[in-house]
Amino acid sequence: FDQDIDLEMAELKFVLTPKSILTLMNYALTTFTDPAASEVPSDVLRHNEADVEDAPQKINMSMNLEGIIVVLNDDSIKLATLELSAAEIGLLLMPERMCVTAKLGGLQLTDEVNEGLSRDSVLRKLISMGGDEVVELTYKTFDDANNSNNYNSVLDYKTGSMNINFVDESINRILTYLAKFQKMKVLFDRAREAAYNQAGNIESVNNMKLNVLIKAPVIKFPKLVDPRKGIYDDITFYLGELFVENKFI
C-alpha cells in the first residue's frame, strides 16, 4: 500500500446533525478537490486493478474502537442514541473506488424523545443485541469506467440475533430524519456539481445494491397501556431469518 494507517481509540462520540455534517462535507470537497484539474502521470493508473504491479495509489486504514456513540440530532432535537461497545473498521481507498468493512458489537438504539420512561423500557430500547453478537458490514463502490453492474455501490449487512421493538412514533421520527438527510445530500451534490459546470452528470445512475441478513430476529410491537406503571401489551414475532435485497430492472 502507498499509505498505511492504524488507529486505536478508546471511545468516539459525535452528534449527527444533517445540515452541519453536509456543510462540512461540501466545504471539504469544494476546497480540497478540483474536478477540472489536469491529469498527472499517476492518473493513467487509476482504473487498474488493486492487486497488479501497476496499480494506482492506495490507502489502507485500520481502526479499532472500544466504543462508539452516535447521537441523531434533528434541529436541536435529540431523537435517538446509537451505541456500539466495540468496532473494527477497515478502509481500502483508491482513486475511483473504495471498500469499507466493519465488525460492530453490542449495538443498541435508544429513543431519546420519550424521556418520561426508563431507558430500559421496551418503548425506548428500539434495537438491542447480545454481547456476543456482531454486525458485519461491507460497503463497496465501483469504478464507472469498467463497472458492468446496473448499480455503482453495494451494501452487505449481516448480523446475528437482534431484538427490535417496533414503536411506530419513534421509528417514524428516525425514518423521517434519515429521509431528510438523504434529500439534503442530493441538494448539496447538485449545487456542488452545478458550481463545477457538471450539470450533465446530475442525472447519472447512482443505485445502491442492498443485501441485508438478520439471523433469528425477535420483533416486538408494544403498545403502552399504563404509562405510570410501565404496563404495555405486545405482539412478538420470533423469526428464523430475515433477508432483504433489492434489484434494479
Side-chain angles (χ1 to χ4, degrees):
F1 297 100
D2 297 281
Q3 298 181 49
D4 236 330
I5 304 172
D6 290 314
L7 294 176
E8 301 279 346
M9 298 181 67
E11 185 176 272
L12 175 65
K13 178 180 181 180
F14 59 95
V15 179
L16 194 62
T17 304
K19 185 176 181 180
S20 300
I21 295 295
L22 294 175
T23 299
L24 290 173
M25 290 175 58
N26 186 65
Y27 169 79
L29 289 171
T30 55
T31 303
F32 302 109
T33 62
D34 182 6
S38 58
E39 286 193 349
V40 297
S42 61
D43 287 334
V44 299
L45 307 177
R46 64 171 62 237
H47 300 295
N48 290 357
E49 295 297 325
D51 55 353
V52 297
E53 184 176 350
D54 58 348
Q57 294 179 342
K58 303 179 291 294
I59 298 176
N60 183 49
M61 185 183 74
S62 176
M63 180 185 299
N64 292 318
L65 299 168
E66 294 182 7
I68 301 177
I69 299 175
V70 181
V71 178
L72 306 185
N73 182 61
D74 185 20
D75 295 331
S76 300
I77 299 176
K78 191 176 179 182
L79 297 182
T81 299
L82 177 67
E83 299 179 67
L84 300 168
S85 62
E88 296 179 3
I89 303 172
L91 169 66
L92 173 61
L93 183 63
M94 302 179 67
E96 301 296 336
R97 58 194 184 276
M98 71 174 178
C99 178
V100 180
T101 59
K103 288 187 177 181
L104 312 173
L107 185 149
Q108 291 190 37
L109 179 65
T110 305
D111 175 48
E112 298 292 356
V113 176
N114 296 319
E115 294 183 342
L117 301 172
S118 167
R119 289 186 65 86
D120 294 327
S121 170
V122 297
L123 297 168
R124 292 191 63 186
K125 192 70 68 178
L126 304 179
I127 298 176
S128 60
M129 294 177 57
D132 296 331
E133 302 291 348
V134 296
V135 173
E136 296 183 7
L137 185 70
T138 302
Y139 175 71
K140 293 182 180 179
T141 62
F142 302 99
D143 185 354
D144 291 335
N146 50 32
N147 180 26
S148 60
N149 302 309
N150 58 353
Y151 50 87
N152 54 11
S153 63
V154 59
L155 176 66
D156 291 314
Y157 178 95
K158 298 180 181 179
T159 181
S161 180
M162 175 181 292
N163 297 306
I164 302 173
N165 297 321
F166 199 95
V167 182
D168 289 346
E169 185 178 356
S170 301
I171 297 297
N172 286 335
R173 275 196 297 262
I174 294 174
L175 292 178
T176 301
Y177 165 84
L178 295 176
K180 184 168 72 172
F181 201 121
Q182 176 62 24
K183 289 179 181 178
M184 291 180 64
K185 182 180 184 302
V186 171
L187 293 175
F188 269 84
D189 289 344
R190 289 185 177 182
R192 180 170 57 85
E193 291 177 2
Y196 283 129
N197 296 319
Q198 292 183 324
N201 292 337
I202 291 177
E203 301 300 330
S204 59
V205 176
N206 188 23
N207 295 329
M208 178 188 291
K209 180 78 168 69
L210 295 176
N211 296 310
V212 178
L213 175 62
I214 303 176
K215 297 180 179 179
V218 179
I219 303 178
K220 181 179 293 186
F221 294 83
K223 181 178 180 181
L224 188 63
V225 175
D226 189 340
R228 292 174 298 179
K229 297 181 179 179
I231 300 175
Y232 61 90
D233 293 332
D234 69 86
I235 299 176
T236 305
F237 294 89
Y238 298 89
L239 305 179
E241 187 173 277
L242 179 63
F243 182 76
V244 179
E245 70 172 356
N246 63 338
K247 296 182 180 179
F248 301 100
I249 301 175

